[in-house]
Amino acid sequence: MTITEKPDARTYGYADLPGLMSLMTGDEKHGPAATSTLDVLWVLYDRVLRGGPERPDDPGRDRFLLSKGHGPMAYYAVLAAKGYLPVDWLPGFGSYDSPLGHHPDRTLVPGVEIGSGSLGHGLPIAVGTALGLRAQGRHEPQVWVLIGDAELDEGSNHEAIAFAGPAGLDRLHTVVVDNASAGHALPGGIAARFEAAGWSAVTADGRDHEALYAAFTAPHPGRPHVVVARVEPKSA
């Protein structure tokens, strides 16, 4: 595990994330929804994503897109732990003059690729990002998008899933945080929906860091990859 050292000599690891999240107060925190993404975000930023806070706009970086709009508390905590933003921004979360809004803003927060908003928009944008990188001849950067299982009720995601498989977008990775919020089920579960469209799919315990890392790094030549990260059912 890597730990980021800050200019003030403090270090932040996974165990510090609940404390960092506790600095964010106010309405519309969506605490349970954010907490369900915490382990996924940490493993991605700690062990998988290429790039860093020193060059957040490096053309060769991996792209991470947060589509699950109720996850910014965990996202901001991980970004702060990894040095993308100052920890002293966190107490201002959601306030009038804070860059940390209830939905991340790519023009205000270093490292944020898109503004999270309406359900179902993140995966289509990720598909477009992967296509754009391919058109530019950039074959090293990988594209990651984090969505919630309820977003799969949206038609825009169905179209993105159906397109990405036959297009062979093997630099595209989707993580679905499954906390039993979806309104529509599918025989075989979420993974089967992606596999039917030509994706590589792995289902893993969304709290087990080693299982997540293995799922994130599973080979999938010629196909986009989805990891279904199962967590406890939504309670709030």
Side-chain angles (χ1 to χ4, degrees):
M1 176 182 294
T2 60
I3 297 179
T4 304
E5 183 171 348
K6 299 298 188 298
D8 62 3
R10 294 185 62 187
T11 59
Y12 298 93
Y14 174 74
D16 297 302
L17 296 180
L20 293 174
M21 288 181 66
S22 73
L23 298 175
M24 290 174 273
T25 60
D27 297 331
E28 297 188 32
K29 293 187 297 183
H30 299 295
T35 302
S36 70
T37 70
L38 194 60
D39 297 274
V40 164
L41 287 167
W42 180 256
V43 175
L44 283 173
Y45 273 89
D46 192 53
R47 302 174 62 179
V48 177
L49 296 175
R50 296 179 309 111
E54 298 80 13
R55 299 182 63 190
D57 297 322
D58 185 346
R61 73 191 183 282
D62 289 344
R63 274 66 166 175
F64 173 78
L65 286 63
L66 179 69
S67 184
K68 184 176 169 60
H70 287 175
M73 284 184 67
Y75 190 32
Y76 293 150
V78 170
L79 289 177
K82 289 299 178 183
Y84 285 87
L85 58 91
V87 170
D88 59 13
W89 282 12
L90 298 179
F93 168 68
S95 62
Y96 174 74
D97 58 351
S98 171
L100 305 183
H102 294 130
H103 294 280
D105 187 328
R106 69 178 304 274
T107 67
L108 300 176
V109 185
V112 171
E113 299 283 352
I114 63 170
S116 298
S118 301
L119 289 176
H121 78 304
L123 183 52
I125 294 175
V127 168
T129 301
L131 284 170
L133 290 169
R134 175 189 284 182
Q136 294 171 20
R138 297 189 181 278
H139 303 297
E140 290 303 317
Q142 302 192 59
V143 180
W144 290 82
V145 57
L146 173 60
I147 69 176
D149 58 326
E151 291 188 69
L152 295 177
D153 294 348
E154 302 293 331
S156 55
N157 275 334
H158 176 78
E159 294 176 3
I161 293 167
F163 176 86
L169 296 181
D170 57 358
R171 309 312 269 173
L172 174 64
H173 306 75
T174 298
V175 184
V176 182
V177 174
D178 180 9
N179 60 6
S181 296
H184 302 288
L186 184 76
I190 292 173
R193 177 174 181 178
F194 284 83
E195 289 174 328
W199 289 58
S200 165
V202 176
T203 299
D205 182 342
R207 299 299 189 192
D208 185 328
H209 290 194
E210 293 305 319
L212 287 171
Y213 179 72
F216 292 160
T217 57
H220 52 95
R223 295 189 291 169
H225 185 56
V226 62
V227 174
V228 181
R230 288 181 171 168
V231 298
E232 60 280 0
K234 185 177 179 182
S235 59

